[in-house]
Amino acid sequence: MTATVDSARAEDAKLRKTLGYWSLVATGLGSVIGSGWLFSAMYAAQSAGPASLIAWVIGGVLMLSVALVFAELGIAHPESGGLVRYPLYSNGRFAASIVGWSMWVCYLGNPPTEAAGVLQYASSYLPGIYAGKQLTGLGIAAAIVLMAVFVMVNYFGVQLFARTNNTVTAIKVLIPTATAVLLIASGFDGSNISGHGGFAPYGYGIALGTIATAGMVFAYTGFRNIVELSGEVRHPRKHIPAALVTTLLVTIVLYLGLQLAFLGAVPSHLLVGGWHGVNFDSPFAQLALLLGLSWLYWTLIADSMLSPSGSGICYTACNARNSYGLAKNGLRSEEHTSELQSHHDL
């Protein structure tokens, strides 16, 4: 195992150590904040009402405890593709193979999904790319082009990825933050919190179950991508734990703000049948229209295309490191191994 660690460190020594604290935070936030924030507050309110606020806090604290474990691993063994390397160190090659390939498949599905999400929202402006519930032939071609853009941003090195992602993430954080502040300032109705069945209309047990059923756990999981890039960090012992904690704390506060804004902005006449009956096609955008904030509505529609693109860029970068980690684990085909051996002999 010592030889395996030394070999991995020798490989990672060839990588450029260019990522700092802010680039790691942008990677974490860019992975966490996708298009899901536009719907998660509504789904949580439907399940638990105002008690969803408690669920966001508990879910965030739970994920923060997991992030601290990742921070320790990142400090002890800062490796690119670390999430598929650590199972090799702890449980051997078989466990690492299962975890590695599972993560590869999971990551592989993200960029196409995000590209399809972008085009679904863009279909309002570009007719002919989306029909019913699926992409048309033209839409598939556009999705391929968009995924090629994700690849090109990463192809020219980690520095271009970091600069692009820093800009995109700054916008992705600014828009939901502004949404929460504006909705609270413009139309917050405190009676929505205490009335209509009270703070926990369906019980606190249901509220705790919402952590899993409303996707709250999955809303936080993008922080792990910080560890995937740990082999390219200038000061891993300092920046990795700081970036992980910052990412989780920022997202906990952001999701709480969005949940509170949604709870207070829903018109009271829509709550006659309880929170279960609240249903919007585009929750925050429609609430913005109801409050007369038409410019916010169009901003949210634009962000519905930007946020998935940012997540696609992040997951493309991290799946490249995941594949790199699989290669370091020795998971490559016999044909590829022969090619490498032939190249070495030359």
Side-chain angles (χ1 to χ4, degrees), residues 130-143:
Y130 210 86
K133 295 184 178 181
Q134 61 184 6
L135 294 170
T136 63
L138 180 61
I140 292 173

Side-chain angles (χ1 to χ4, degrees), residues 39-103:
F39 296 93
S40 57
M42 182 183 73
Y43 294 147
Q46 287 174 340
S47 299
S52 55
L53 293 167
I54 297 176
W56 279 114
V57 174
I58 295 175
V61 171
L62 289 174
M63 296 311 294
L64 182 59
S65 65
V66 175
L68 293 176
V69 176
F70 279 101
E72 288 293 329
L73 292 171
I75 290 172
H77 295 287
E79 289 189 47
S80 285
L83 294 185
V84 300
R85 295 288 291 163
Y86 302 144
L88 178 69
Y89 299 147
S90 61
N91 295 89
R93 189 173 300 276
F94 181 69
S97 301
I98 295 175
V99 172
W101 285 114
S102 298
M103 289 188 61

Side-chain angles (χ1 to χ4, degrees), residues 111-125:
T113 302
E114 300 292 8
V118 170
L119 295 172
Q120 181 178 356
Y121 285 106
S123 62
S124 302
Y125 311 96

Side-chain angles (χ1 to χ4, degrees), residues 170-252:
I171 299 172
K172 288 171 62 176
V173 172
L174 178 62
I175 291 176
T177 301
T179 299
V181 172
L182 289 170
L183 290 183
I184 291 173
S186 301
F188 188 83
D189 186 351
S191 65
N192 286 359
I193 306 298
S194 56
H196 309 288
F199 183 75
Y202 310 116
Y204 287 97
I206 296 295
L208 294 178
T210 303
I211 297 172
T213 58
M216 292 182 179
V217 170
F218 297 103
Y220 288 115
T221 53
F223 72 85
R224 64 190 179 187
N225 286 342
I226 292 173
V227 181
E228 292 282 28
L229 297 168
S230 59
E232 295 153 272
V233 181
R234 285 194 298 270
H235 305 293
R237 293 185 63 85
K238 179 172 67 173
H239 292 328
I240 291 174
L244 284 167
V245 172
T246 300
T247 296
L248 264 299
L249 292 179
V250 168
T251 50
I252 289 171

Side-chain angles (χ1 to χ4, degrees), residues 8-24:
R9 287 177 177 171
E11 289 295 325
D12 277 15
K14 302 173 185 177
L15 301 174
R16 294 181 179 179
K17 316 293 183 181
T18 57
L19 296 178
Y21 168 75
W22 290 111
S23 294
L24 289 177

